[in-house]
Coordinates of all heavy atoms in Angstrom, one line a residue:
N226 N 131.5 34.1 160.2 CA 130.6 33.8 159.1 C 129.7 34.9 158.7 O 129.2 35.5 159.6 CB 129.8 32.5 159.7 CG 129.1 31.8 158.4 OD1 128.3 32.5 157.7 ND2 129.2 30.6 158.3
F227 N 129.4 35.1 157.4 CA 128.6 36.2 157.0 C 127.2 36.2 157.6 O 126.6 37.3 157.7 CB 128.6 36.2 155.4 CG 127.9 37.6 155.0 CD1 128.5 38.8 155.1 CD2 126.5 37.5 154.6 CE1 127.8 39.9 154.7 CE2 125.9 38.6 154.2 CZ 126.6 39.9 154.4
N228 N 126.7 35.1 158.0 CA 125.4 35.0 158.6 C 125.3 35.9 159.8 O 124.2 36.5 160.1 CB 125.0 33.6 158.9 CG 124.8 32.7 157.8 OD1 124.4 33.2 156.7 ND2 124.9 31.4 157.8
S229 N 126.4 36.1 160.5 CA 126.4 36.9 161.7 C 126.5 38.4 161.3 O 126.5 39.2 162.2 CB 127.5 36.5 162.6 OG 128.9 36.6 162.0
L230 N 126.9 38.7 160.1 CA 127.1 40.1 159.7 C 126.0 40.5 158.7 O 126.0 41.7 158.3 CB 128.4 40.2 159.0 CG 129.6 39.7 159.7 CD1 130.9 39.8 158.7 CD2 130.0 40.7 160.8
H231 N 125.0 39.6 158.5 CA 124.0 39.8 157.4 C 123.3 41.2 157.5 O 123.1 41.8 156.5 CB 123.0 38.7 157.3 CG 122.2 38.7 156.1 ND1 121.1 39.5 155.9 CD2 122.4 37.9 155.0 CE1 120.6 39.2 154.8 NE2 121.4 38.3 154.1
D232 N 122.9 41.7 158.6 CA 122.1 42.9 158.8 C 123.0 44.0 159.1 O 122.5 45.1 159.6 CB 121.2 42.6 159.8 CG 120.1 41.6 159.4 OD1 119.8 41.5 158.2 OD2 119.6 40.9 160.3
R233 N 124.3 44.0 158.9 CA 125.2 45.1 159.2 C 126.0 45.6 158.1 O 126.4 46.6 158.1 CB 126.1 44.6 160.4 CG 125.4 44.3 161.7 CD 126.2 43.6 162.7 NE 125.4 43.3 164.0 CZ 124.6 42.3 164.1 NH1 124.4 41.5 163.1 NH2 123.9 42.3 165.3
L234 N 126.4 44.6 157.2 CA 127.2 45.0 156.1 C 126.5 44.6 154.8 O 126.0 43.5 154.7 CB 128.7 44.6 156.2 CG 129.6 45.2 157.3 CD1 130.8 44.2 157.4 CD2 129.8 46.5 157.1
V235 N 126.7 45.3 153.8 CA 126.2 45.0 152.4 C 127.2 43.8 151.9 O 128.4 44.0 151.8 CB 126.2 46.1 151.4 CG1 125.8 45.6 150.0 CG2 125.0 47.0 151.9
K236 N 126.6 42.7 151.2 CA 127.4 41.8 150.5 C 126.9 41.7 149.0 O 125.8 41.7 148.7 CB 127.2 40.3 151.1 CG 127.9 39.3 150.4 CD 128.0 38.0 151.2 CE 126.6 37.2 151.3 NZ 126.1 36.6 150.2
L237 N 127.9 41.7 148.1 CA 127.7 41.5 146.7 C 128.1 40.1 146.4 O 129.1 39.7 146.7 CB 128.5 42.5 145.9 CG 128.3 44.0 146.1 CD1 129.4 44.7 145.2 CD2 126.9 44.4 145.8
D238 N 127.1 39.4 145.8 CA 127.5 38.0 145.3 C 127.8 38.2 143.8 O 126.9 38.3 143.0 CB 126.2 37.1 145.4 CG 126.2 36.5 146.8 OD1 127.3 36.5 147.5 OD2 125.2 35.8 147.3
I239 N 129.0 38.1 143.5 CA 129.5 38.2 142.1 C 129.6 36.8 141.6 O 130.8 36.2 141.8 CB 130.8 39.1 142.0 CG1 130.6 40.4 142.7 CG2 131.2 39.3 140.5 CD1 129.6 41.3 142.1
L240 N 128.7 36.3 141.1 CA 128.7 34.7 140.9 C 128.9 34.4 139.4 O 128.6 35.2 138.5 CB 127.3 34.2 141.2 CG 126.9 34.3 142.7 CD1 125.4 34.1 142.9 CD2 127.8 33.6 143.6
G241 N 129.7 33.3 139.2 CA 129.8 32.8 137.8 C 128.5 32.1 137.4 O 128.1 31.2 138.1
H242 N 128.1 32.2 136.2 CA 126.9 31.6 135.7 C 127.0 31.3 134.2 O 127.6 32.0 133.5 CB 125.8 32.6 135.9 CG 124.4 31.9 136.1 ND1 123.4 31.9 135.1 CD2 123.8 31.3 137.2 CE1 122.3 31.2 135.6 NE2 122.6 30.9 136.8
D243 N 126.4 30.2 133.8 CA 126.5 29.8 132.5 C 125.7 30.5 131.4 O 126.0 30.6 130.3 CB 126.1 28.2 132.4 CG 127.2 27.2 132.8 OD1 128.4 27.8 132.9 OD2 127.0 26.1 133.0
D244 N 124.4 31.1 132.0 CA 123.5 31.6 131.1 C 124.1 32.8 130.3 O 124.0 32.9 129.0 CB 122.3 32.1 131.8 CG 121.5 31.0 132.2 OD1 121.8 29.8 131.9 OD2 120.4 31.2 132.9
P245 N 124.9 33.8 130.9 CA 125.5 34.8 130.1 C 126.5 34.3 129.0 O 126.6 34.8 128.0 CB 126.2 35.7 131.1 CG 125.5 35.3 132.4 CD 125.1 34.0 132.3
T246 N 127.3 33.2 129.4 CA 128.2 32.6 128.4 C 127.4 32.0 127.2 O 127.9 32.3 126.2 CB 129.0 31.5 129.1 OG1 129.4 31.9 130.4 CG2 130.2 31.1 128.3
V247 N 126.3 31.5 127.5 CA 125.4 30.8 126.5 C 125.0 31.9 125.5 O 125.1 31.8 124.3 CB 124.3 30.0 127.0 CG1 123.3 29.6 126.1 CG2 124.9 28.7 127.7
L248 N 124.5 32.9 126.1 CA 123.9 34.1 125.2 C 124.9 34.7 124.5 O 124.7 35.1 123.3 CB 123.2 35.1 126.1 CG 121.8 34.5 126.7 CD1 121.3 35.5 127.8 CD2 120.8 34.3 125.6
R249 N 126.2 35.0 124.9 CA 127.2 35.6 124.3 C 127.7 34.6 123.0 O 127.9 35.1 122.0 CB 128.4 35.8 125.1 CG 129.6 36.4 124.4 CD 129.4 37.9 124.1 NE 129.7 38.2 122.8 CZ 129.8 39.5 122.3 NH1 129.4 40.4 123.1 NH2 130.2 39.7 121.1
M250 N 127.7 33.3 123.2 CA 128.1 32.4 122.2 C 127.0 32.4 121.2 O 127.4 32.3 119.9 CB 128.3 31.0 122.8 CG 128.9 30.0 121.8 SD 129.5 28.5 122.5 CE 129.9 27.6 121.0
L251 N 125.7 32.4 121.6 CA 124.6 32.4 120.6 C 124.7 33.7 119.7 O 124.5 33.6 118.6 CB 123.2 32.3 121.2 CG 123.0 31.0 121.9 CD1 121.8 31.0 122.9 CD2 122.7 30.0 120.8
Q252 N 125.0 34.8 120.3 CA 125.2 36.0 119.7 C 126.3 36.0 118.7 O 126.2 36.4 117.4 CB 125.4 37.2 120.6 CG 125.4 38.5 119.9 CD 125.7 39.8 120.9 OE1 125.3 39.7 122.0 NE2 126.1 40.9 120.5
D253 N 127.5 35.4 119.0 CA 128.6 35.3 118.2 C 128.3 34.4 116.9 O 128.7 34.6 115.8 CB 129.8 34.8 118.9 CG 130.3 35.7 119.9 OD1 129.9 36.9 119.8 OD2 131.0 35.4 120.8
L254 N 127.4 33.4 117.2 CA 127.1 32.3 116.2 C 126.1 32.9 115.2 O 126.2 32.5 114.0 CB 126.7 31.0 116.7 CG 127.7 30.1 117.4 CD1 127.2 29.0 118.1 CD2 128.9 29.7 116.4
T255 N 125.2 33.6 115.6 CA 124.0 34.1 114.8 C 124.0 35.6 114.4 O 123.4 36.0 113.5 CB 122.7 33.7 115.6 OG1 122.6 34.6 116.7 CG2 122.6 32.3 115.9
G256 N 124.8 36.4 115.2 CA 124.8 37.8 114.9 C 123.5 38.4 115.6 O 123.3 39.7 115.3
I257 N 122.7 37.8 116.3 CA 121.5 38.3 116.8 C 121.8 38.7 118.3 O 122.3 37.9 119.2 CB 120.4 37.3 116.8 CG1 120.0 37.0 115.4 CG2 119.1 37.8 117.6 CD1 119.0 35.7 115.3
N258 N 121.4 39.9 118.6 CA 121.6 40.5 120.1 C 120.5 39.8 120.9 O 119.3 40.1 120.6 CB 121.4 42.0 120.1 CG 121.7 42.5 121.4 OD1 121.8 41.9 122.5 ND2 122.0 43.9 121.6
P259 N 120.8 39.0 121.9 CA 119.8 38.3 122.7 C 118.9 39.4 123.4 O 117.7 39.0 123.7 CB 120.6 37.7 123.9 CG 122.0 37.5 123.3 CD 122.3 38.6 122.3
K260 N 119.4 40.5 123.6 CA 118.4 41.5 124.4 C 117.4 42.1 123.5 O 116.4 42.6 123.9 CB 119.3 42.8 124.8 CG 120.3 42.6 125.9 CD 121.0 43.9 126.3 CE 122.0 43.5 127.4 NZ 122.7 44.7 127.9
E261 N 117.5 41.8 122.1 CA 116.5 42.2 121.2 C 115.6 41.1 120.8 O 114.6 41.2 119.9 CB 117.1 42.8 119.9 CG 117.9 44.1 120.2 CD 118.7 44.5 119.1 OE1 118.7 43.9 117.9 OE2 119.4 45.5 119.1
V262 N 115.8 39.9 121.3 CA 115.0 38.7 121.1 C 113.6 38.9 121.7 O 113.6 39.3 122.9 CB 115.6 37.4 121.6 CG1 114.6 36.3 121.8 CG2 116.8 37.0 120.7
P263 N 112.5 38.7 121.0 CA 111.2 38.8 121.7 C 110.9 37.7 122.7 O 110.8 36.5 122.3 CB 110.2 38.8 120.4 CG 111.0 37.9 119.4 CD 112.4 38.3 119.7
I264 N 110.7 38.1 123.9 CA 110.5 37.0 124.9 C 109.1 36.4 125.0 O 108.8 35.5 125.6 CB 110.9 37.3 126.3 CG1 110.2 38.6 126.8 CG2 112.5 37.6 126.4 CD1 110.5 38.9 128.3
N265 N 108.2 37.1 124.2 CA 106.9 36.6 124.1 C 106.6 35.9 122.8 O 105.4 35.8 122.4 CB 105.9 37.8 124.3 CG 105.9 38.8 123.2 OD1 107.0 39.0 122.7 ND2 104.9 39.5 123.0
D266 N 107.6 35.4 122.1 CA 107.4 34.8 120.9 C 106.5 33.6 121.1 O 106.8 32.7 121.9 CB 108.8 34.3 120.3 CG 108.7 33.5 119.1 OD1 108.2 34.0 118.0 OD2 109.0 32.3 119.1
P267 N 105.4 33.3 120.4 CA 104.5 32.3 120.6 C 105.0 30.8 120.5 O 104.8 30.0 121.3 CB 103.4 32.5 119.5 CG 103.4 33.9 119.2 CD 104.9 34.3 119.3
D268 N 105.9 30.7 119.4 CA 106.5 29.3 119.3 C 107.5 29.0 120.5 O 107.6 27.9 120.9 CB 107.3 29.3 118.0 CG 106.4 29.2 116.8 OD1 105.3 28.8 116.9 OD2 106.9 29.7 115.7
T269 N 108.2 30.1 121.0 CA 109.1 29.8 122.1 C 108.2 29.5 123.4 O 108.6 28.6 124.1 CB 109.9 31.1 122.3 OG1 110.6 31.5 121.2 CG2 110.9 31.0 123.5
L270 N 107.2 30.2 123.6 CA 106.4 29.9 124.8 C 105.7 28.5 124.7 O 105.4 27.9 125.6 CB 105.3 31.0 124.9 CG 105.8 32.3 125.4 CD1 104.6 33.4 125.3 CD2 106.2 32.3 126.9
S271 N 105.5 28.1 123.4 CA 104.9 26.7 123.3 C 105.7 25.6 123.8 O 105.2 24.5 124.0 CB 104.5 26.6 121.9 OG 105.5 26.3 121.0
L272 N 107.0 25.9 123.8 CA 108.0 24.8 124.3 C 107.7 24.2 125.7 O 108.0 23.1 126.0 CB 109.5 25.4 124.2 CG 110.1 25.6 122.9 CD1 111.5 26.0 123.0 CD2 109.9 24.4 121.9
F273 N 107.0 25.2 126.5 CA 106.8 24.8 127.8 C 105.5 24.0 128.0 O 105.2 23.7 129.1 CB 106.8 26.0 128.7 CG 108.2 26.8 128.6 CD1 108.3 27.8 127.8 CD2 109.2 26.5 129.4 CE1 109.5 28.5 127.6 CE2 110.4 27.1 129.3 CZ 110.6 28.2 128.4

């Protein structure tokens, strides 16, 4: 089990995740690059 190897070998967790899929679809639908979206947009922050 990897727990017994944790401090001896490097492990990469190459995980499947929905967020990159979502951002790619949003980019395809809107033409907006998610990396260029202002993450400090006041209206966006107000959602929380």
Side-chain angles (χ1 to χ4, degrees):
N226 190 310
F227 185 74
N228 290 335
S229 61
L230 303 171
H231 193 278
D232 295 327
R233 293 165 181 82
L234 292 172
V235 171
K236 175 166 70 76
L237 300 180
D238 273 348
I239 309 296
L240 302 169
H242 208 257
D243 281 343
D244 289 359
T246 311
V247 167
L248 288 170
R249 179 72 226 190
M250 187 171 176
L251 287 168
Q252 180 175 343
D253 291 341
L254 290 173
T255 64
I257 297 171
N258 185 345
K260 290 182 180 179
E261 297 173 2
V262 163
I264 61 173
N265 65 331
D266 175 62
D268 287 338
T269 302
L270 285 170
S271 75
L272 292 185
F273 303 93

